[in-house]
Amino acid sequence: MYAGAFERAGMTGALHRYRNVDRYWADLADQAGAPITQPSLFTGASGTPPSPGWPTP
């Protein structure tokens, strides 16, 4: 499934997003500090780094 989608679309969309990162920051500047209003949940474990190489709290 994922391989077929990648073969069809490739990396173009992802690359465009990173090439345009400065514009996204500018467009979203007025959203700074705004609360997340849609239902959301953050889960994490105490003492587990979020990614290899990150310091543990």
Side-chain angles (χ1 to χ4, degrees):
M1 176 178 180
Y2 294 110
F6 182 77
E7 286 176 0
R8 186 182 77 255
M11 289 285 292
T12 305
L15 291 176
H16 285 320
R17 175 146 177 94
Y18 287 108
R19 288 179 183 142
N20 228 357
V21 71
D22 293 331
R23 182 174 178 184
Y24 284 113
W25 276 107
D27 287 347
L28 296 174
D30 62 334
Q31 300 291 324
I36 299 173
T37 56
Q38 68 187 39
S40 57
L41 173 68
F42 173 79
T43 59
S46 175
T48 304
S51 184
W54 286 37
T56 21

